[in-house]
Amino acid sequence: MEIRQLQILRELGERGSVTAVAEALYVTPSAISQQLRLLQRSVAVPLTEHQGRRLALTDAGRALAASAGEVETALAKARDAVDAFINEPGGPVHLAAFHSAAEAFFPPLVRAFGKPGPSRLCLADADVAQTEFATLTGDYDIVLAHRLDHTPPWPPGVSVTALLHEPLDVAMPENHPLASKQRVTPHDVAGEQWITVHDGFPLFGTIEAIGAAAGRRLNIVHRINEFFVAAEVVAAGGGLALMPRWTTQPRAGLVLRPLAGVHARRHIDALCRPERAVRRSVRAVLSELQQTAGQIQSP
């Protein structure tokens, strides 16, 4: 039993003939008759009867036709409720981000939406493996995620708003011998101690690429996912690390040098489920994220 079939039954009761219903709905009489037959298969009692050459509703048919109006009214209310939800400017928006994105994007978002006005923002940090970011869209309206250039794109079931395509540089203490170079190569850094993320997290693939380009395994001493912690360890002389160029906050005693010979960039994207991306409040936050991304690239 489908709403379209109920609508046809209702029209038949009001208009009195299959031909009149077909003309009103801009379809052929045979199409109307087919839908009525399909509806009849789902009901145990006759819904229509022939009165001469005219097809009329039985008592059961009239009862079901009356309910069609109630169903259409309920659907109209449901559509209105969805429209109101989609267009509500002050609806809550739950957003999760990995740590370096949170450090860069959360303060501007709070300044934009943390005061009375549209969009009530609820923020959370989420440090997960690259393959798990898309899954988080089931729990949050927006998920800030990152992936390396050479990794697979995000699943087709999520809506993607591109924010940054960020270079990854080599972080080192400002008094390190390599700090005098304008850029460093895999061979320059392969013999150093390294601080990197845990296996399965974005950026580790670039660490492996550096070792492959240099023809040797890197000496990974420390495993630290949070960049601001890794930066402090680098500045203290604990080793080198890959750091994002734009979202790494400046720190005393730390310098970044571009890496030559290895393609080292990451995408930072805002992921959400398509049905959430159409909400007015979510669109407002996505727009603010894009503006912030533009400011990050052009300080």
Side-chain angles (χ1 to χ4, degrees):
M1 186 180 299
E2 299 178 0
I3 182 60
R4 179 65 169 171
Q5 296 165 355
L6 292 176
Q7 290 170 337
I8 289 172
L9 188 71
R10 181 185 183 188
E11 292 294 332
L12 179 61
E14 293 181 357
R15 298 180 186 274
S17 73
V18 169
T19 301
V21 174
E23 291 175 353
L25 299 182
Y26 301 100
V27 297
T28 64
S30 62
I32 296 297
S33 297
Q34 181 184 27
Q35 291 301 311
L36 289 172
R37 286 194 296 270
L38 291 173
L39 177 60
Q40 183 62 74
R41 291 177 186 173
S42 64
V43 180
V45 295
L47 299 174
T48 60
E49 61 184 3
H50 286 280
Q51 295 179 354
R53 299 180 62 183
R54 175 175 167 270
L55 188 66
L57 300 186
T58 63
D59 290 342
R62 283 189 289 273
L64 187 56
S67 71
E70 297 174 2
V71 171
E72 289 193 65
T73 300
L75 285 176
K77 290 180 178 179
R79 292 190 191 99
D80 287 343
V82 171
D83 288 343
F85 174 72
I86 290 174
N87 292 303
E88 169 58 50
V93 178
H94 296 264
L95 186 150
F98 61 95
H99 294 137
S100 60
E103 189 174 10
F105 285 94
F106 280 6
L109 286 176
V110 170
R111 287 191 287 270
F113 298 108
K115 59 192 72 171
S119 298
R120 182 161 55 86
L121 198 61
C122 305
L123 303 175
D125 63 338
D127 185 29
V128 300
Q130 182 172 324
T131 55
E132 297 175 25
F133 278 117
T135 304
L136 285 178
T137 60
D139 301 319
Y140 299 93
D141 297 307
I142 301 173
V143 175
L144 297 190
H146 60 150
R147 66 175 184 84
L148 298 177
D149 269 349
H150 64 275
T151 56
W154 304 114
V158 298
S159 174
V160 181
T161 300
L163 298 177
L164 294 173
H165 190 205
E166 185 175 27
L168 302 173
D169 296 333
V170 178
M172 61 190 69
E174 61 182 0
N175 59 356
H176 193 282
L178 292 175
S180 61
K181 299 173 70 74
Q182 292 297 310
R183 62 183 58 243
V184 294
T185 68
H187 290 283
D188 291 333
V189 300
E192 302 288 329
Q193 291 186 343
W194 277 86
I195 305 157
T196 189
V197 296
H198 294 272
D199 292 350
F201 286 78
L203 273 67
F204 190 74
T206 302
I207 292 291
E208 294 178 321
I210 293 171
R216 59 183 293 183
R217 292 177 63 86
L218 300 188
N219 179 22
I220 298 173
V221 178
H222 307 294
R223 297 276 190 160
I224 302 172
N225 276 13
E226 296 186 16
F227 284 130
F228 64 88
V229 177
E232 295 296 333
V233 176
V234 171
L240 307 185
L242 281 180
M243 293 280 171
R245 182 178 300 174
W246 299 323
T247 54
T248 295
Q249 299 298 318
R251 284 173 172 77
L254 186 75
V255 297
L256 300 181
R257 293 293 178 261
L259 179 63
V262 171
H263 189 73
R265 280 180 176 264
R266 69 171 180 175
H267 295 269
I268 298 181
D269 300 316
L271 311 182
C272 53
R273 292 190 173 182
E275 65 273 18
R276 298 184 183 184
V278 300
R279 288 175 50 203
R280 183 175 174 184
S281 56
V282 171
R283 294 198 309 268
V285 174
L286 289 173
S287 178
E288 185 65 30
L289 286 169
Q290 290 176 303
Q291 292 183 41
T292 300
Q295 294 166 359
I296 289 172
Q297 293 182 75
S298 305

